[in-house]
């Protein structure tokens, strides 16, 4: 088993399987407490089976389209991961991107590509905040990004009385969305693998001291990486809004669960590799969509989030023993 | 609930969370799952809020302890993956609390049993608990053998060579920090308004408390000073009539600024760079 890629795939499958097993145990416990007894048929027919098959309900194109925002978010997190940094602010970037797309699309009537561009710009500007704190004050990006995510979501909540949330105009983006995600994933992969800046980033991820001795400016590299990560996160929020996936102003639950957690889970399953993270996001979205089809009377709609959190925990506990980002994650 | 009551609950929650982070940070394993630990402890305590206060407090502490151990046990011998596991645990706690709320059929609580009358004034029971915890943490971390072993685990590259049982120290570290985090979580949930949803966790107070502890270089009294400063800012903003949403965001914003000013990494902070 000397093939690194095969070992990584095995690790990801192990984490996925273990997370699902633990999730199944949680579902059994929830069913037992709700119904007063363990009804295996109910757990299987109304819980586990819809969870595992519900994601396919709308067909593969719809799945890929709906997974595109999660793929963008996972891509941004993986990009930072390549530099040994933890981007924990995905939720805040997503929320700001969605709000920006709503304002531009519904209130200003701009076309979808302009809304997406504005979302990406807002994400870049917000991603620059923890980047600046890291570059100038050497504040760790994990805490900086996590706190700025909370600030962003609280700021949106503060303006909730002024913003009337409107649904996007009908734009069929289910086919362009995965193409956008694939194009950006390829761009990121090419940039990280074949450019000098990408080499600097990977060197920084291996060892900050080595990168410094090699002439890499860690602060500048970290700043631009977090900006780009913010761009992808903001674009994820904008794209999800334009796809009709954001029905209301993002609330505080986004800071702990939701797309931020999905992106982290996908990036962790992929071990921080950009292309694999985009693929893993499809699996994460599949589970998330499946969780929406379980029997709501027995299993809470939050069951999907709990299972994804367990998958992320398994990745952190099992798979991140070594490797890029693992020592800082 | 009066303004001073709300402020004292807020201060106690932040201080207890910061002290939990102090113990964990001194042991070299920052409690990244503090938000989830506070939520688990808070939810358990709130469900027993109709019982006498000491039962509710003990239950909250116990639940927090269990949550911290659940998060931290795989990481007793290594530190890789702690941050992501903490984020995962926070998400699981938020989702799990919603699942639990659905199973129970809703969460109702009362704040009635949490007040003491001191010289004719109603004071929240969390205030003396937090101040007592401050003294206890200071004595434990700086004036006890366990504290010495704890600081060795946090600052030495190979504490086992000095005779420290790293795993057992780690377990106790997690237990103590979880205990304080759980009680702090109960105070946090009681300080929040009636429209609060469990999926919102402790409103980011766990992260704010972590940031304060780190900005105070994991010193109990430095954390107290920063917590007082933040509470005064919060109280001042509320007194000036700031809207509710701005008030709830203020701890996070202020913690970020304090962290940026006081918590930046200096060249001498080699072993304290765990955050």
């Amino acid at each position: 088993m000397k093939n690194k890629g095969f070992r990584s795939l095995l690790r990801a499958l192990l984490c996925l399987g273990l997370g699902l097993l633990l999730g199944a145990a949680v579902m059994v416990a929830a069913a037992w407490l709700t119904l007063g007894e363990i009804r295996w048929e109910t757990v299987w027919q109304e819980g586990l089976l819809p969870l595992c098959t519900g994601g396919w309900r709308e067909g593969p194109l719809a799945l890929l389209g709906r997974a595109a925002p999660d793929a963008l978010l996972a891509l941004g997190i993986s990009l930072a991961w390549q530099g040994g940094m933890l981007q924990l602010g995905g939720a805040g970037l997503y929320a700001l991107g969605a709000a920006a797309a709503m304002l531009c699309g519904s209130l200003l009537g701009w076309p979808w590509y302009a809304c997406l561009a504005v979302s990406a710009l807002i994400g870049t500007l917000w991603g620059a905040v923890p980047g600046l704190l890291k570059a100038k004050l050497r504040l760790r990006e994990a805490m900086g990004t996590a706190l700025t995510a909370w600030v962003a979501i609280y700021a949106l909540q503060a303006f909730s009385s002024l913003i009337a949330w409107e649904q996007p105009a009908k734009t069929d983006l289910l086919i362009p969305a995965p193409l956008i995600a694939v194009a950006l994933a390829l761009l990121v992969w090419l940039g990280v693998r074949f450019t000098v800046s990408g080499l600097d980033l990977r060197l920084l991820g291996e060892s900050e001291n080595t990168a410094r001795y090699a002439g890499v400016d860690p602060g500048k590299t970290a700043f631009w990486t977090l900006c780009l990560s913010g761009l992808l996160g903001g674009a994820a929020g904008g794209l999800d809004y334009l796809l009709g996936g954001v029905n209301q102003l993002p609330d505080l639950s986004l800071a702990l669960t939701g797309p931020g957690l999905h992106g982290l889970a996908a990036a962790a399953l992929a071990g921080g590799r950009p292309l694999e993270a985009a693929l893993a996001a499809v699996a994460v979205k599949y589970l998330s969509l499946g969780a929406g089809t379980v029997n709501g009377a027995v299993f809470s709609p939050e069951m999907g989030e709990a299972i994804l959190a367990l998958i992320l925990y398994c990745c952190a506990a099992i798979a991140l023993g070594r490797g890029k980002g693992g020592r800082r994650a | 609930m009066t303004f001073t009551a709300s402020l004292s609950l807020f201060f106690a929650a932040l201080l207890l969370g910061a002290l939990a982070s102090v113990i964990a940070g001194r042991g070299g394993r920052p409690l990244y799952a503090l938000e989830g630990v506070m939520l688990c402890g808070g939810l358990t305590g709130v469900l027993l809020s109709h019982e006498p206060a000491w039962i509710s407090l003990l239950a909250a502490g116990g639940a927090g302890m269990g949550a911290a151990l659940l998060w931290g046990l795989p990481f007793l011998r290594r530190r890789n993956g702690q941050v992501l596991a903490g984020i995962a645990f926070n998400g699981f706690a938020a989702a799990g609390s919603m699942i639990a709320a659905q199973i129970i059929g809703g969460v109702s609580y009362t704040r009635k049993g949490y007040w003491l009358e001191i010289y004719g004034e109603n004071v929240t029971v969390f205030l003396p608990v937090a101040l007592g915890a401050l003294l206890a943490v200071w004595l434990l971390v700086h004036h006890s053998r366990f504290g010495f072993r704890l600081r060795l685990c946090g600052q030495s590259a190979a504490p086992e060579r000095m005779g420290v049982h790293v795993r057992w120290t780690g377990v106790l570290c997690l237990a103590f920090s979880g205990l304080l985090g759980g009680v702090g979580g109960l105070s946090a949930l009681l300080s929040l308004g009636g429209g609060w949803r469990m999926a919102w966790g402790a409103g980011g107070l766990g992260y704010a408390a972590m940031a304060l502890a780190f900005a105070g270089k994991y010193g109990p009294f430095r954390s107290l000073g920063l917590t007082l400063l933040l509470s005064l800012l919060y109280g001042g903003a509320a007194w000036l009539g700031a809207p509710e949403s701005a008030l709830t965001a203020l701890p996070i914003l202020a913690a970020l600024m304090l962290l940026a000013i006081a918590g930046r990494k200096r060249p001498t902070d080699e072993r304290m760079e765990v955050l």
Side-chain angles (χ1 to χ4, degrees):
Chain A
M1 280 221 292
K2 287 189 181 172
N3 188 330
K4 264 191 192 172
F6 184 67
R7 271 189 298 176
S8 308
L9 178 64
L10 272 184
R11 247 184 244 139
L13 288 173
L14 175 67
C15 296
L16 203 58
L18 208 55
L20 282 171
L21 207 63
L22 290 170
V26 171
M27 288 179 98
V28 167
W32 173 52
L33 289 168
T34 307
L35 303 170
E37 56 177 340
I38 300 179
R39 286 191 216 155
W40 295 106
E41 248 189 64
T42 309
V43 172
W44 175 247
Q45 293 287 344
E46 295 174 36
L48 290 169
L49 192 59
L51 175 76
C52 297
T53 58
W56 207 249
R57 201 171 272 199
E58 293 179 18
L61 268 176
L63 172 63
L64 288 175
R66 302 221 179 278
D70 283 358
L72 289 181
L73 207 48
L75 209 52
I77 294 167
S78 303
L79 183 64
W81 198 306
Q82 290 289 307
M85 288 176 278
L86 270 181
Q87 168 61 277
L88 301 179
L93 297 166
Y94 173 93
L96 287 175
M102 193 279 294
L103 286 170
C104 295
S106 300
L107 297 183
L108 300 175
W110 289 3
W112 67 269
Y113 44 87
C115 298
L116 198 56
V118 170
S119 299
L121 180 65
I122 298 288
T124 310
L125 292 173
W126 194 247
V129 172
L132 264 173
L133 290 174
K134 184 166 174 75
K136 294 293 177 193
L137 300 176
R138 304 183 72 195
L139 184 69
R140 291 245 181 234
E141 77 290 341
M143 196 41 113
T145 50
L147 287 175
T148 49
W150 279 94
V151 170
I153 297 172
Y154 268 121
L156 283 178
Q157 290 294 303
F159 289 108
S160 61
S161 55
L162 302 171
I163 305 173
W165 195 261
E166 291 186 26
Q167 294 303 317
K170 275 214 166 214
T171 318
D172 191 9
L173 283 176
L174 273 183
I175 294 175
L179 294 175
I180 294 168
V182 166
L184 284 172
L186 280 171
L187 260 173
V188 167
W189 176 72
L190 286 168
V192 167
R193 281 298 297 266
F194 298 111
T195 64
V196 174
S197 306
L199 180 63
D200 289 349
L201 182 67
R202 283 184 290 140
L203 199 56
L204 185 64
E206 291 292 338
S207 163
E208 191 177 323
N209 284 334
T210 309
R212 207 189 295 271
Y213 297 145
V216 175
D217 186 344
K220 209 165 139 184
T221 309
F223 172 76
W224 287 113
T225 306
L226 289 172
C227 283
L228 279 173
S229 180
L231 183 150
L232 291 164
L239 190 60
D240 208 12
Y241 171 77
L242 294 166
L243 284 168
V246 188
N247 299 319
Q248 59 179 16
L249 185 72
D251 69 2
L252 291 172
S253 60
L254 208 70
L256 293 172
T257 57
L261 186 67
H262 299 179
L264 275 171
L269 277 171
R273 285 174 290 275
L275 279 183
E276 289 89 327
L279 278 173
V282 178
V284 163
K285 195 62 183 182
Y286 179 84
L287 280 174
S288 170
L289 288 175
T293 61
V294 301
N295 182 355
V298 182
F299 305 105
S300 167
E302 306 294 324
M303 197 61 78
E305 302 298 324
I307 292 173
L308 287 170
L310 285 168
I311 290 172
L312 178 59
Y313 185 86
C314 291
C315 287
I318 294 166
L320 290 180
R322 53 180 69 89
K324 241 183 268 258
R327 59 186 171 77
R328 293 195 199 173
Chain B
M1 192 164 60
T2 62
F3 168 69
T4 40
S6 169
L7 186 62
S8 56
L9 279 171
F10 169 81
F11 168 77
L14 216 48
L15 181 60
L16 285 165
L19 291 173
S21 287
V22 161
I23 294 181
R26 281 288 179 176
R29 52 190 82 250
L31 194 55
Y32 298 104
L34 184 57
E35 186 82 10
V37 165
M38 285 175 92
L39 183 57
C40 288
L43 179 63
T44 310
V46 143
L47 288 173
L48 294 170
S49 60
H50 298 278
E51 304 294 329
W54 64 272
I55 293 179
S56 168
L57 281 163
L58 273 176
M65 205 186 281
L69 285 168
L70 207 61
W71 163 71
L73 279 178
F75 303 101
L76 285 180
R77 290 294 291 173
R78 61 180 178 88
R79 294 178 191 182
N80 289 344
Q82 277 186 109
V83 182
L84 278 186
I87 303 298
F89 190 84
N90 293 340
F92 182 74
S97 60
M98 291 295 286
I99 294 169
Q102 177 176 323
I103 292 171
I104 296 165
V107 174
S108 70
Y109 64 93
T110 175
R111 295 189 182 100
K112 279 191 193 151
Y114 297 100
W115 306 102
L116 298 170
E117 201 175 308
I118 298 179
Y119 297 113
E121 287 286 333
N122 264 347
V123 172
T124 172
V125 75
F126 291 100
L127 208 51
V129 166
L131 295 173
L134 171 73
L135 206 57
V137 166
W138 175 67
L139 287 170
L140 186 74
V141 171
H142 292 286
H143 296 281
S144 72
R145 289 167 81 171
F146 169 75
F148 177 68
R149 289 196 291 268
L150 185 74
R151 283 179 286 127
L152 268 180
C153 285
Q155 291 176 354
S156 165
E160 56 273 354
R161 288 185 193 169
M162 294 177 216
V164 177
H165 199 295
V166 174
R167 278 185 202 174
W168 187 233
T169 309
V171 167
L172 287 175
C173 169
L174 285 170
F176 286 133
S177 48
L179 174 73
L180 292 174
V183 176
L186 176 58
S187 181
L189 290 188
L190 291 174
S191 74
L192 298 166
W196 199 258
R197 286 182 58 208
M198 288 297 167
W200 298 349
L205 279 183
Y207 287 99
M210 272 182 69
L212 289 180
F214 183 66
K217 298 280 181 265
Y218 297 126
F221 288 101
R222 283 190 291 261
S223 303
L224 169 69
L226 291 173
T227 309
L228 266 172
L229 179 64
L230 206 107
S231 303
L232 285 171
L233 276 171
Y234 178 84
W239 183 71
L240 288 169
E244 174 116 21
S245 46
L247 271 184
T248 36
L250 186 65
I252 315 290
L253 199 53
L256 184 61
M257 287 194 291
L258 281 172
L259 198 59
I261 296 164
R264 63 186 187 277
K265 184 179 164 183
R266 298 185 183 88
T268 49
D269 296 336
E270 282 310 311
R271 284 301 296 177
M272 296 288 274
E273 49 138 348
V274 285
L275 198 64

